[in-house]
Amino acid sequence: MYGFFPVIVMMYSVVTCPLAYIFILLCAFSSPAESAKSDIELDAKAQHNHQIDSLNLLLYTFLLTLTVLTIWLFKHRRFRFIHETGLAVIYGLIVGALIRYAGNASSVVHMTVVPEKDKYNQSLPPDSLWLRFPNKGGSPNVPNKTYAYTFRGEIDVDDSEIELKATFDPEIFFNIILPPIIFHAGYSLKRKYFFRNLGAILTYALIGTTLSSFAVGALMYGFIQLRPYLKSSFTFLDTLYFGALISPTDPLTILAIFNDLHVDVNLYALVFGESVLNDAVAIVLSGAIQNYGERYQSGSGGFETDAFFRALGDFFVIFSLSLLIGTVMGCITALMTKFTRVRDFPLLESALFVLMSYSTFLIAEASDLTGIVAVLFCGICQAHYTYNNLSVDSRTRTKKLFELLNFLAENFIFVYIGVSMFTFPKHHFDPGFIIVGFLCAMVGRAVNIYPLSFLLNLGRKPKIAYNFQHMLFFAGLRGAMSFALAIRNTVSDARQAMLTTTSLIVIITVIVQGGATMQLLTWFKIPVGVEEEVEMLPYTGVRNDTSEQPRESNKVNEKAWLARIWGNFDVRYMKPLLTHARPTLLETLPVCCNPLARVLTTTEQMTQDNRSRSQMDSDSDLCIDDNDVSYTNHRRSSGARSDSVTISGDLGLGSRVVDTRVRIPGPGGNNI
């Protein structure tokens, strides 16, 4: 008598995701005929699974195709009452409802497993399951076989197979979908206006997001205390986590309309810059809240000062180290493209660029840091330094590639949000929690914008007008980051209620607030059709006329002091080190460092024209003024005549005076 024992090893990780991969070691003892029959059945099962997977992917591909065609129709007819992301959500909701209520109830084979001891609960599944199947036929021994299954977590036994297949592993969002979106945000950043408004953006993104998170968490906790049936499911940390995940904004709809209508560039920069950075802040803040509850809290249930400060330290350390990794990887890529001739092979150069950028995300995640922060600042560094070293083909290819990936990834997420409202098995609908969640999200947004704008206006010139503040408030649409944080852990009832509330907030804000953007611009009397050189926030440094003399208002204090300090250092040392820009390190470093400067200076830097390489690429819009840098005196000969012209500065912080030399052929072929 022989028997076989299938061993199911469930590699479950609570830290990373409730969905993990499970490997099944099947020790089979059966006859050759039975083995052949088993192989045929398994092949048929594999073919059926492949068919379902293809249908699932076809479904999302069809939805994206339909979204693209509808976007074209709307642009062709100049319809602006709904954005592409709103269309994607609506199409996802329709298809999700059809799958849920009109799809076939295809059979899914289930096996009931009852634990021997009540040792495990829903938040901590066992590491392995041993299923014993006695073989009563007495078949001879045959070699072992290995099968792989996927652990899906808690499911509804009434779900059809297509419903289960239409639900993706949440880690796909963090590891595959989000990185190109965040990288594109940094790589395509309009740094000129971003750095001009750097102080306000950092205030809204860092301080404002934190205040909003705590405000939402405190208000939601107060509501929980009024609902006895929710007290057992929610703790203060749960509501604080909800505040952290609902605070980041994703105003794609509003930004697209801003861009089409040429709304004031500084308002655009405030909305876009805050949305870029508050994603990074929210994911680090949510991680710090989890660390407080899982690592540092002793379990007393009350507030613990020591645990709080340790979690606060985690917040700053993780954010800083993630930023450092992104910056270092961007600089390494710049050095590789500067000191090698990989640009002679544009395809290899582009592949190296993409791989180095994506590896930044993976390095940070593998180091238990935040890949989102790392890849964001990697994108900023790649645009600022590496882009200048790329060949023309690679510049075009990388810009277009990440623009395409961003478009597809963003629309896929919003399509999936719509579909998952009907197919994801872990939704928990609580009308009271949902309504209060909406109200608290609005209050949190108001706490972010209005008090901080008041404080900023005390020392800011020009001030942020009230109509701009109102637009900033209504620009707080929720999107991909909030949904990704909510769907990452849905084991408990509290997390399931958070997912449902977050999904509904995302859907309604994208469709309703995004669709009302045109009306809001009219109500708030925000001018449209404003050129970049003519702004509603009256900076004096952006001008077209290069023949006029500098205005008296061209003062150093018009520029952000942080941008001015960094700009001086960047032009003198970082740009010459990481790119082929002039001046070279031979001109900016002390004489004692000349041997090192020679090694770090390329022939191209030494032989290029006086015209800076940065004037020929998109990196010329950085907010640094050459009058902050004194290296021009080293390059000017004593007999050369210098003419002063007024042109716009790199970072757009004010007019600048640039010393130029014009050399024309004279008699006898000598230059004048």
Side-chain angles (χ1 to χ4, degrees):
M1 296 290 292
Y2 295 94
F4 64 92
F5 301 89
V7 181
I8 305 179
V9 182
M10 304 174 60
M11 300 180 179
Y12 181 87
S13 174
V14 178
V15 176
T16 56
C17 178
L19 299 178
Y21 289 102
I22 304 165
F23 295 94
I24 300 179
L25 179 62
L26 176 61
C27 305
F29 299 92
S30 60
S31 64
E34 291 175 345
S35 178
K37 181 180 179 181
S38 176
D39 287 342
I40 294 175
E41 293 174 348
L42 290 174
D43 288 341
K45 182 65 175 177
Q47 180 63 28
H48 177 68
N49 289 337
H50 175 73
Q51 183 180 11
I52 295 296
D53 290 338
S54 299
L55 179 61
N56 181 33
L57 294 175
L58 176 63
L59 172 69
Y60 286 101
T61 303
F62 169 75
L63 287 174
L64 289 175
T65 304
L66 186 61
T67 302
V68 169
L69 292 176
T70 311
I71 292 170
W72 167 80
L73 179 62
F74 277 32
K75 288 183 178 294
H76 181 67
R77 299 294 183 183
R78 299 184 183 277
F79 294 153
R80 292 194 177 97
F81 61 86
I82 190 170
H83 186 249
E84 59 203 44
T85 53
L87 288 171
V89 170
I90 292 174
Y91 288 147
L93 288 170
I94 294 173
V95 173
L98 291 175
I99 293 175
R100 182 71 175 179
Y101 300 112
N104 293 333
S106 56
S107 60
V108 179
V109 178
H110 297 286
M111 176 180 294
T112 302
V113 180
V114 180
E116 295 180 353
K117 298 179 180 179
D118 295 334
K119 184 177 179 180
Y120 303 100
N121 53 49
Q122 62 176 350
S123 63
L124 184 62
D127 295 327
S128 64
L129 294 179
W130 295 70
L131 305 182
R132 298 179 180 272
F133 293 94
N135 184 6
K136 300 179 180 179
S139 302
N141 189 8
V142 296
N144 299 337
K145 293 184 178 180
T146 303
Y147 298 93
Y149 283 73
T150 302
F151 173 55
R152 288 187 171 273
E154 183 184 359
I155 62 173
D156 187 349
V157 295
D158 295 328
D159 288 341
S160 65
E161 191 164 2
I162 185 61
E163 288 181 57
L164 296 177
K165 292 288 185 179
T167 303
F168 290 98
D169 186 337
E171 287 303 296
I172 291 178
F173 290 100
F174 275 90
N175 295 329
I176 305 297
I177 305 297
L178 283 181
I181 295 175
I182 302 300
F183 181 85
H184 178 263
Y187 195 48
S188 62
L189 185 68
K190 290 185 177 181
R191 295 173 299 282
K192 174 179 178 179
Y193 304 103
F194 177 85
F195 284 102
R196 169 180 294 173
N197 298 280
L198 183 61
I201 290 173
L202 290 177
T203 302
Y204 290 135
L206 295 176
I207 302 176
T209 303
T210 305
L211 290 177
S212 175
S213 301
F214 279 89
V216 173
L219 292 174
M220 291 299 297
Y221 186 71
F223 166 74
I224 295 299
Q225 299 307 304
L226 300 177
R227 305 297 294 268
Y229 71 94
L230 292 176
K231 282 186 178 182
S232 60
S233 301
F234 285 85
T235 64
F236 179 68
L237 288 181
D238 288 329
T239 59
L240 199 58
Y241 183 82
F242 176 74
L245 69 87
I246 207 63
S247 294
T249 59
D250 191 5
L252 282 177
T253 304
I254 292 179
L255 289 173
I257 295 176
F258 279 8
N259 188 62
D260 292 341
L261 299 181
H262 298 285
V263 175
D264 179 67
V265 289
N266 292 289
L267 177 59
Y268 183 100
L270 289 173
V271 174
F272 180 73
E274 184 210 352
S275 68
V276 169
L277 291 183
N278 66 17
D279 283 350
V281 173
I283 194 170
V284 179
L285 183 61
S286 62
I289 294 171
Q290 289 177 322
N291 288 341
Y292 174 85
E294 296 173 3
R295 297 184 183 180
Y296 305 136
Q297 199 175 30
S298 62
S300 62
F303 177 78
E304 300 179 18
T305 305
D306 180 66
F308 170 78
F309 281 106
R310 293 176 68 181
L312 185 65
D314 276 356
F315 174 83
F316 289 107
V317 170
I318 292 175
F319 191 93
S320 301
L321 292 180
S322 301
L323 186 155
L324 180 63
I325 288 178
T327 304
V328 169
M329 291 297 291
C331 293
I332 291 175
T333 310
L335 290 172
M336 294 172 66
T337 53
K338 176 183 177 180
F339 291 103
T340 65
R341 297 297 302 178
V342 69
R343 62 179 300 175
D344 294 337
F345 304 93
L347 180 61
L348 299 180
E349 184 182 39
S350 301
L352 177 66
F353 182 92
V354 173
L355 292 174
M356 290 294 291
S357 301
Y358 185 59
S359 64
T360 302
F361 174 84
L362 299 178
I363 289 173
E365 290 292 325
S367 304
D368 200 20
L369 300 174
T370 303
I372 297 298
V373 177
V375 79
L376 170 64
F377 286 95
C378 176
I380 295 175
C381 288
Q382 299 283 42
H384 188 37
Y385 299 118
T386 310
Y387 183 88
N388 300 328
N389 301 332
L390 299 179
S391 61
V392 176
D393 289 344
S394 294
R395 292 183 185 185
T396 304
R397 183 181 290 117
T398 54
K399 284 285 187 183
K400 297 300 181 183
L401 173 63
F402 283 104
E403 183 180 5
L404 175 62
L405 291 177
N406 174 73
F407 174 82
L408 293 176
E410 282 278 6
N411 283 280
F412 172 81
I413 287 182
F414 284 101
V415 165
Y416 183 75
I417 291 173
V419 173
S420 66
M421 283 301 300
F422 294 95
T423 62
F424 195 75
K426 297 182 180 180
H427 279 295
H428 181 74
F429 290 87
D430 186 299
F433 188 87
I434 293 171
I435 294 173
V436 175
F438 269 100
L439 297 177
C440 290
M442 295 176 61
V443 173
R445 184 64 182 167
V447 170
N448 185 338
I449 298 300
Y450 294 108
L452 295 182
S453 297
F454 172 78
L455 295 177
L456 286 169
N457 284 338
L458 294 178
R460 175 186 169 93
K461 293 183 180 180
K463 301 183 183 301
I464 303 174
Y466 283 114
N467 58 342
F468 279 23
Q469 295 179 36
H470 299 331
M471 197 67 230
L472 285 169
F473 171 79
F474 282 100
L477 282 65
R478 272 57 174 187
M481 181 58 66
S482 295
F483 178 75
L485 287 172
I487 202 174
R488 200 171 193 181
N489 179 5
T490 55
V491 174
S492 65
D493 290 338
R495 293 301 178 91
Q496 293 174 13
M498 292 181 200
L499 170 63
T500 304
T501 303
T502 301
S503 299
L504 290 174
I505 291 176
V506 170
I507 292 172
I508 293 178
T509 55
V510 167
I511 295 177
V512 177
Q513 285 183 237
T517 302
M518 295 292 296
Q519 289 75 15
L520 293 174
L521 291 174
T522 303
W523 291 343
F524 298 146
K525 298 180 181 180
I526 294 178
V528 298
V530 180
E531 298 297 331
E532 290 193 1
E533 290 82 5
V534 183
E535 306 163 29
M536 295 306 299
L537 297 183
Y539 289 92
T540 60
V542 183
R543 301 172 58 189
N544 279 330
D545 189 359
T546 60
S547 62
E548 298 180 6
Q549 295 301 318
R551 298 180 182 178
E552 294 180 359
S553 60
N554 178 28
K555 299 177 182 179
V556 176
N557 60 10
E558 289 179 356
K559 295 176 288 187
W561 65 271
L562 183 60
R564 185 169 65 251
I565 294 174
W566 166 251
N568 189 12
F569 178 80
D570 183 59
V571 170
R572 292 176 62 86
Y573 303 111
M574 296 300 294
K575 277 283 189 78
L577 171 64
L578 301 175
T579 71
H580 299 288
R582 299 291 291 270
T584 66
L585 292 175
L586 290 169
E587 299 169 90
T588 59
L589 287 178
V591 178
C592 61
C593 299
N594 276 351
L596 177 62
R598 290 192 185 95
V599 174
L600 299 177
T601 302
T602 61
T603 304
E604 183 174 350
Q605 282 179 279
M606 299 296 296
T607 58
Q608 68 176 332
D609 295 334
N610 290 334
R611 180 178 59 175
S612 174
R613 183 182 180 87
S614 65
Q615 293 176 346
M616 298 181 291
D617 55 47
S618 69
D619 202 45
S620 61
D621 62 356
L622 259 173
C623 88
I624 304 163
D625 291 349
D626 283 349
N627 60 339
D628 290 335
V629 186
S630 59
Y631 67 83
T632 53
N633 294 329
H634 298 289
R635 301 177 56 197
R636 189 186 311 157
S637 61
S638 59
R641 177 172 178 255
S642 298
D643 296 326
S644 296
V645 296
T646 304
I647 64 177
S648 59
D650 263 347
L651 283 183
L653 294 176
S655 301
R656 62 188 174 111
V657 178
V658 178
D659 296 318
T660 61
R661 292 188 299 169
V662 179
R663 185 163 38 182
I664 60 176
N670 297 323
N671 292 328
I672 299 177

